[in-house]
Amino acid sequence: MSQDATALWKSLLATALLGTGRGATPNATDWSRVRTKDGSLANALESVAGDDSETRLLHSAAVLSTYMLAGREPAHSDSETATKAADAEVLPLCPDRATAFLEELLGGRGNTSARQALFIEWLQTAAAHRVRVPFRQLPILLQIGLKAENAPILRSAIVPVVGRRGIWLAQQNPDWSWLLEGTQDLFALAEASETTFEWSTATTPERLAYLQRLRRTDPEAAIEQIAGTWDEERSETRSAMLRTLEINLRPEDEKLLELALDNRSREVRYIAAGLLARLPKSAFAGRMRARAIDAVVVKKPLIGGARVEVNPLETFDPTMERDGIVERPTGAFPNGVRAFWLQQIVASTPLLHWSEISALSPAEYIEAGLQNDWKIALLTGWTQAANREKNKDWLEALWLWHLNPRNPAPYHTHLSVDVLPIPVVFSLLEAAIDSSDFARASNLPVMLLQSLVARSVPPPESWQETVTTQLIQRVEKDYGLHDWRKAALPELGRLLGPNHCVTFLRFWNTLPYGLSSSPRLDGFSRFVTAITTRKRIHDAFIQGY
Amino acid sequence: MDWTTEQIVALAPDTASAKSGRQTAKPAQWRFLRYSGDSLWGECQGSDANPYQTQVDLTEPAFKCTCPSRKFPCKHGVALLLLYAESRDTFAESSEPPDWVTNWITARRDRQAQRPEDDGFSLVPPPVAAPKASSDSGRAKRVSARESKVARGIDDLDLWLADLIRAGLGEANRKPYSYWDAMGARLIDAQAPGLARRVRELAGVASRAVGWQDTLLERLAQLRLISQGYRNLESLPPDLQADVRTAVGFTVKSEELLSLPGVQDLWQVLGVRVTEEDKLRVQRAYLYGTHSARVALLLSFNPVGAPLAPESLFAAGTAFVGELVWYPSAYPIRAQIRERAESVAPLPGSGFPSQGADALAATFADALAKVPWIDAIPAYLNPARLETTVGDTSRWQFRDSENRIVPMRPTDSAAAWAFVAESGGHPSLFFGEWDGRTFLPLAVRSSDSEAKR
């Protein structure tokens, strides 16, 4: 392109900006300045017609801008490219039908938690077949992972299906570095942010978040930080700070917790007592054990089973108040205040105490406790202690006792499940399978299944088969479900293997009319739909299906 | 025979039926799903007290259903076939079909024996209706009335342009949108919608942060060029006349278009772009004729939110046999389908020649020489790497093997990243729109797209 053309365009533009009403008009002498190889531009400009200078200017601009656009030459870069190309891909591409399903899941609307579960299932199925997503879907997956900071299952499901290309792509965009950092690096990131943390200017939520991080990496530093401003804080803040000690609780924390027992706030005292009860060697635990020794005695006669005897306190000992034991129940306590005190003492006594004073197993303690008039206080106390200490032996024994259909249901309580190892959850499910007493056990098997959903682990195949048969038998028998299986249908729809899908569909296919739309089978109908969708995902990965 | 999901959805008479067919294709809504030979049947609980009895003869396929829908096939038929294609397990084999199934099949077979061609629904599309001859006497009058309206609009436009230049463009970027919109509305009244669109676009140009002055003068000059072309229409070659009339906003009548000679070929869909303009969804599909080496742009419009009709659905990487007709132009790109016959497997390479940065510039210069206000042309870029611009990671560029740079037209970053992911930093063959300055990628050849062929 001629330099002159550019200069002429600049002068035309200057005139146009200023306005022909005010500025000089380009005239014929300007065109002769334009030099091109064949003179065609000058000729074209010279032949521009127009009654007025405005029209001539516009016509000249039209000629010139077209000339310049047509004559543009591509820019040349002096430097080599900065980015390294991706290595050859090792994972094969997933089948077309699986891609279509993925696009449907990514583009869909509606129930997001159900769709997310299907999305995770898609990813896990792809990983099981050792295939990857299409390259063009990688940015969407990396973006989903970026926003899934609090959903480690989602992130770890994405990682195996991105292939080498996904790792290469994550290197190109700092937003997607989460794919490159393992969980280890995430901690490093947290530490890096601590170096810039300023306690004195931080808000209370920021301080609490900082304390939680610090407890994971340096528990001693965290307790020093809390002790440093302990006297200045309001009691709600003190409660919240004490709660952070639950992370990496250590015997060294006792000093501050003992101090907290003298606090005026009942809540602070209660939290401190709860934490101290989890430190078996603490002075607090010693005081509680002394009370427990007075209150509960194990008798092992020569003939017959062990017995648990209770010597109830006749009056409230004021020193118990400091250790978080409440004198008067806030609501009605049908078993009397003495049972109320006993329950709190048992709940705050380390479970280690019971195995030290007798060789009885947790299950034997539960059996023996039930022979006693104080059984509700004893069982509730042990349950609370087991939940608080996350004691697997006691929790398993309590679970088994509750799931046993022969046992009566003396009380309702919450039982932790997330601390139980998967094999224990499986054996508990085995125990639940024969239970049909809806009122008694409805929520317990559901809690077990929810825990498996959260951990993304399906129940054992034999268990699935039994439940499949049972579900169909029960629907067949009275066209309705009346036990825990009904409450667990949403979880079962997510956990049962798609290989059972055909059984359910064949059965559903034979149901009489009117029943399908009956509200009684609403949950079952949703269950069949859910498992069918999952079957479609699995089938989509089988080539040539 | 086996039917794929895509083929079945394409059988639905319209997009609403396709969608409701999809929704009805849930095993939970059906009972007694059975098959026997080429027959499928099942019962679907609809809004009626009695279930609808639906059956499909797989050979054609042909459909029958007891539902009151007038659509053919109805959603139950589509759904039944979809279920069969996707969850065959849910169908049980039946050795003794019920009477309502066998009666229909027997009747069909009998009729087919007599009259093999026309029974029920078949996949062959109906013949295109012959253009209706219209020798309306009032038509000439309407045409001349419109032309004088347009002429008055062109006069107003020229005056407006001259006023702008006389007063100076220096503060054009401070003018409110209503200033540009008023002239646009005037041109709509004058039945020159093409010019109206170009005038309204000036508002966007003037509000750009950088370089608005050059672009604004360019666009104003282009408008003046079109208006001058319209004034001297008779003196222009016929093809360029058509371009001027299109730029002003005249449309070509469908029957006129279909009377022009067409080109029969195997058409490959090179790339598809969907944009939203004025509450309309605009789909641009670029095709390449395998034997004729001709390029075509197919435009489809439909309201935002409504799905495109199946006959105007194109997916990059697919191909079909058919005949196209081009809108008259000195640089013909836009075309219309006269006949779309069968879909065929695409070829391994399109055969459309790719170009280096220099050749791209030359091709665009050629296009400009034919139609000076041409927006963009379809083009294949020689194997080039897509990379971010040094110092500005939000801008992208293509770099060919000789380190020549073609800037990428700014687009949303999700689309740009998808092309980065697909090309993996390797030199790749990109197809897209080239406007003489920037390149907008629409498709890329990668190992994934190869795997599909």
Side-chain angles (χ1 to χ4, degrees):
Chain A
M1 189 197 309
S2 157
Q3 191 58 45
D4 286 341
T6 313
L8 184 60
W9 173 261
K10 280 189 179 148
S11 97
L12 267 184
L13 181 63
T15 311
L17 289 172
L18 199 60
T20 50
R22 273 170 282 183
T25 315
N27 54 47
T29 56
D30 289 314
W31 312 145
S32 60
R33 287 199 349 236
V34 180
R35 304 254 177 265
T36 53
K37 275 178 200 153
D38 55 1
S40 57
L41 177 62
N43 289 343
L45 287 171
E46 265 164 21
S47 66
V48 159
D51 298 336
D52 47 50
S53 52
E54 290 78 33
T55 308
R56 279 197 302 278
L57 187 145
L58 283 170
H59 284 173
S60 308
V63 171
L64 206 50
S65 64
T66 310
Y67 174 84
M68 289 166 73
L69 181 56
R72 274 176 79 95
E73 281 170 8
H76 191 277
S77 170
D78 298 329
S79 57
E80 288 291 311
T81 182
T83 39
K84 187 180 158 288
D87 292 332
E89 184 55 65
V90 285
L91 284 183
L93 177 63
C94 66
D96 278 359
R97 280 182 52 184
T99 302
F101 216 110
L102 177 67
E103 279 166 358
E104 196 179 316
L105 287 171
L106 291 174
R109 295 191 187 88
N111 186 342
T112 46
S113 106
R115 206 174 62 237
Q116 172 147 330
L118 289 176
F119 179 52
I120 291 177
E121 180 133 13
W122 191 101
L123 295 169
Q124 290 172 339
T125 314
H129 283 86
R130 306 193 62 77
V131 292
R132 61 171 171 85
V133 299
F135 293 148
R136 64 173 188 281
Q137 304 288 6
L138 287 171
I140 300 168
L141 258 62
L142 292 174
Q143 203 63 24
I144 289 172
L146 168 68
K147 289 173 187 156
E149 235 175 320
N150 300 318
I153 288 195
L154 186 52
R155 279 192 172 183
S156 52
I158 291 174
V159 173
V161 301
V162 298
R164 277 201 196 170
R165 182 63 59 89
I167 292 166
W168 174 86
L169 192 64
Q171 289 164 349
Q172 313 302 315
N173 186 342
D175 279 355
W176 298 334
S177 57
W178 66 265
L179 186 81
L180 311 170
E181 297 155 0
T183 40
Q184 300 303 314
D185 300 299
L186 287 176
F187 280 124
L189 213 70
E191 268 180 276
S193 69
E194 274 152 29
T195 54
T196 57
F197 184 82
E198 182 52 55
W199 179 273
S200 58
T201 56
T203 63
T204 305
E206 284 169 356
R207 288 182 181 186
L208 292 172
Y210 167 72
L211 284 173
Q212 283 175 356
R213 291 199 303 271
L214 197 56
R215 269 307 272 192
R216 289 200 179 88
T217 51
D218 187 354
E220 186 58 34
I223 205 146
E224 277 169 20
Q225 187 70 65
I226 297 171
T229 54
W230 181 255
D231 295 334
E232 301 153 24
E233 304 292 353
R234 301 183 322 151
S235 63
E236 301 91 77
T237 316
R238 285 182 189 161
S239 306
M241 284 179 166
L242 277 188
R243 280 188 216 278
T244 67
L245 296 184
E246 192 172 5
I247 303 162
N248 278 331
L249 184 69
R250 315 156 310 147
E252 292 85 341
D253 301 331
E254 186 186 352
K255 201 177 141 205
L256 181 73
L257 291 170
E258 266 300 322
L259 189 76
L261 286 178
D262 290 321
N263 205 274
R264 265 186 307 176
S265 154
R266 172 179 276 197
E267 199 194 342
V268 171
R269 291 204 306 273
Y270 182 78
I271 295 164
L275 289 168
L276 283 167
R278 286 168 53 183
L279 295 172
K281 303 266 186 260
S282 66
F284 171 92
R287 295 195 291 275
M288 278 298 170
R289 292 175 72 168
R291 293 181 187 118
I293 285 169
D294 288 345
V296 183
V297 183
V298 180
K299 290 268 168 69
K300 186 102 177 111
L302 287 170
I303 305 158
R307 280 183 300 119
V308 172
E309 282 180 7
V310 171
N311 306 314
L313 281 176
E314 293 305 323
T315 52
F316 190 79
D317 173 3
T319 63
M320 296 200 301
E321 176 100 47
R322 181 175 178 270
D323 287 338
I325 294 177
V326 180
E327 185 175 1
R328 297 260 152 222
T330 40
F333 200 82
N335 303 305
V337 287
R338 291 188 304 167
F340 183 62
W341 301 333
L342 174 68
Q343 177 194 313
Q344 294 180 77
I345 289 169
V346 173
S348 293
T349 302
L351 290 168
L352 188 67
H353 165 76
W354 307 105
S355 55
E356 281 179 0
I357 62 167
S358 145
L360 295 185
S361 71
E364 288 165 330
Y365 263 112
I366 295 167
E367 282 303 323
L370 284 163
Q371 310 304 318
N372 197 293
D373 288 344
W374 304 85
K375 59 187 176 192
I376 296 176
L378 287 170
L379 246 74
T380 311
W382 282 326
T383 305
Q384 287 171 345
N387 281 336
R388 182 156 58 200
E389 291 185 26
K390 301 187 168 63
N391 184 305
K392 295 182 185 63
D393 297 338
W394 275 88
L395 280 173
E396 188 179 355
L398 287 161
W399 267 104
L400 280 172
W401 188 84
H402 277 93
L403 291 170
N404 189 337
R406 290 190 310 278
N407 286 332
Y411 65 98
H412 290 277
T413 190
H414 169 79
L415 278 172
S416 283
V417 56
D418 290 336
V419 298
L420 295 177
I422 298 279
V424 174
V425 177
F426 284 176
S427 67
L428 293 177
L429 279 174
E430 288 295 341
I433 202 141
D434 297 323
S435 162
S436 59
D437 182 349
F438 184 70
R440 162 198 170 74
S442 64
N443 65 329
L444 292 173
V446 177
M447 280 164 61
L448 292 171
L449 291 170
Q450 278 168 347
S451 161
L452 290 185
V453 168
R455 297 187 226 186
S456 197
V457 176
E461 188 53 39
S462 60
W463 190 88
Q464 295 191 29
E465 267 164 34
T466 316
V467 164
T468 299
T469 315
Q470 285 183 344
L471 271 176
I472 287 174
Q473 278 171 356
R474 274 160 218 244
V475 175
E476 235 169 6
K477 198 172 113 200
D478 54 0
Y479 300 134
L481 289 165
H482 303 287
D483 58 18
W484 64 265
R485 285 162 194 83
K486 180 176 182 166
L489 280 172
E491 283 73 25
L492 289 174
R494 285 166 71 165
L495 289 170
L496 287 191
N499 49 321
H500 301 289
C501 175
V502 179
T503 318
F504 285 111
L505 282 176
R506 289 247 166 87
F507 167 65
W508 183 252
N509 218 343
T510 59
L511 282 182
Y513 291 122
L515 206 63
S516 56
S517 45
S518 144
R520 279 201 296 174
L521 282 186
D522 230 20
F524 189 67
S525 148
R526 273 198 298 274
F527 160 81
V528 173
T529 306
I531 197 168
T532 316
T533 312
R534 291 177 49 232
K535 167 116 169 77
R536 278 178 58 211
I537 292 184
H538 286 256
D539 288 349
F541 282 94
I542 300 166
Q543 293 280 7
Y545 181 88
Chain B
M1 90 170 266
D2 278 349
W3 297 86
T4 68
T5 305
E6 248 171 46
Q7 287 171 324
I8 297 163
V9 170
L11 290 174
D14 51 47
T15 47
S17 306
K19 198 178 166 199
S20 47
R22 250 258 146 268
Q23 282 162 354
T24 313
K26 289 180 182 136
Q29 300 195 14
W30 291 80
R31 294 292 163 280
F32 305 118
L33 291 168
R34 299 284 184 275
Y35 70 92
S36 169
D38 281 330
S39 291
L40 296 184
W41 65 95
E43 302 191 0
C44 181
Q45 186 66 56
S47 45
D48 207 27
N50 294 320
Y52 301 129
Q53 297 176 324
T54 311
Q55 53 182 318
V56 176
D57 180 346
L58 284 172
T59 48
E60 292 240 13
F63 300 89
K64 185 167 164 58
C65 182
T66 57
C67 81
S69 166
R70 286 154 175 253
K71 290 188 174 162
F72 195 77
C74 66
K75 64 176 180 181
H76 306 104
V78 174
L80 188 66
L81 197 49
L82 277 173
L83 271 176
Y84 185 69
E86 293 177 356
S87 335
R88 196 156 299 186
D89 289 341
T90 56
F91 287 77
E93 184 161 15
S94 160
S95 50
E96 272 179 53
D99 288 347
W100 59 273
V101 174
T102 44
N103 288 349
W104 180 64
I105 295 288
T106 324
R108 271 181 50 74
R109 294 283 140 84
D110 290 351
R111 260 180 296 156
Q112 257 173 350
Q114 295 159 7
R115 194 162 46 91
E117 272 161 48
D118 182 33
D119 183 63
F121 185 87
S122 79
L123 262 188
V124 182
V128 178
K132 203 173 62 184
S134 97
S135 53
D136 196 346
S137 65
R139 198 176 149 192
K141 240 185 235 172
R142 283 203 306 276
V143 169
S144 90
R146 173 161 186 197
E147 280 178 353
S148 63
K149 263 189 169 181
V150 171
R152 284 199 298 277
I154 294 265
D155 285 345
D156 286 355
L157 174 66
D158 283 352
L159 275 177
W160 181 79
L161 288 170
D163 283 348
L164 250 177
I165 297 296
R166 193 173 308 113
L169 301 177
E171 298 198 335
N173 60 338
R174 301 213 189 133
K175 291 194 191 295
Y177 177 74
S178 58
Y179 171 80
W180 312 98
D181 188 49
M183 189 62 219
R186 169 72 193 91
L187 287 164
I188 291 286
D189 289 345
Q191 294 191 305
L195 290 172
R197 181 177 62 83
R198 286 170 187 267
V199 166
R200 283 182 171 139
E201 278 172 10
L202 297 175
V205 171
S207 61
R208 279 185 206 166
V210 184
W212 62 269
Q213 297 95 333
D214 292 85
T215 314
L216 185 61
L217 180 58
E218 252 177 61
R219 298 288 181 91
L220 293 173
Q222 221 171 49
L223 272 166
R224 190 65 184 78
L225 195 62
I226 297 166
S227 77
Q228 191 68 17
Y230 189 72
R231 287 173 188 282
N232 300 332
L233 199 61
E234 279 76 33
S235 67
L236 300 176
D239 282 345
L240 191 56
Q241 284 188 25
D243 286 306
V244 173
R245 287 174 62 84
T246 305
V248 168
F250 287 96
T251 49
V252 183
K253 291 266 179 307
S254 190
E255 57 259 40
E256 281 173 38
L257 195 61
L258 292 174
S259 68
L260 296 172
V263 175
Q264 181 86 32
D265 207 340
L266 166 63
W267 299 100
Q268 309 189 45
V269 184
L270 302 179
V272 179
R273 181 155 83 101
V274 178
T275 52
E276 287 186 9
E277 291 166 18
D278 278 344
K279 293 174 192 162
L280 274 184
R281 227 166 71 107
V282 184
Q283 179 194 262
R284 292 177 173 79
Y286 289 100
L287 311 180
Y288 181 72
T290 313
H291 305 294
S292 62
R294 293 210 45 181
V295 175
L297 165 64
L298 299 180
L299 281 171
S300 336
F301 305 90
N302 71 321
V304 168
L308 278 166
E311 67 270 13
S312 41
L313 266 179
F314 297 98
T318 59
F320 65 92
V321 171
E323 187 178 358
L324 300 189
V325 190
W326 274 262
Y327 286 77
S329 163
Y331 197 90
I333 301 177
R334 192 177 169 199
Q336 190 171 314
I337 291 190
R338 198 205 310 265
E339 187 212 329
R340 181 178 182 176
E342 49 184 327
S343 292
V344 293
L347 304 175
S350 69
F352 188 61
S354 68
Q355 297 177 306
D358 286 339
L360 270 189
T363 308
F364 197 74
D366 179 50
L368 276 177
K370 304 262 173 52
V371 184
W373 50 86
I374 198 163
D375 288 328
I377 57 171
Y380 253 118
L381 205 54
N382 263 351
R385 306 173 65 147
L386 177 57
E387 57 180 30
T388 53
T389 310
V390 178
D392 184 355
T393 49
S394 66
R395 277 166 54 221
W396 301 83
Q397 61 186 26
F398 299 91
R399 175 195 290 266
D400 72 8
S401 55
E402 288 158 48
N403 283 321
R404 278 172 309 198
I405 303 297
V406 176
M408 183 168 128
R409 198 181 313 166
T411 176
D412 66 305
S413 70
W417 277 113
F419 281 111
V420 174
E422 196 140 15
S423 60
H426 294 287
S428 312
L429 208 50
F430 285 94
F431 173 80
E433 281 179 4
W434 165 240
D435 66 5
R437 294 182 171 90
T438 59
F439 186 87
L440 179 73
L442 299 180
V444 61
R445 198 84 69 70
S446 74
S447 51
D448 269 11
S449 50
E450 293 301 312
K452 281 198 176 171
R453 288 169 198 273

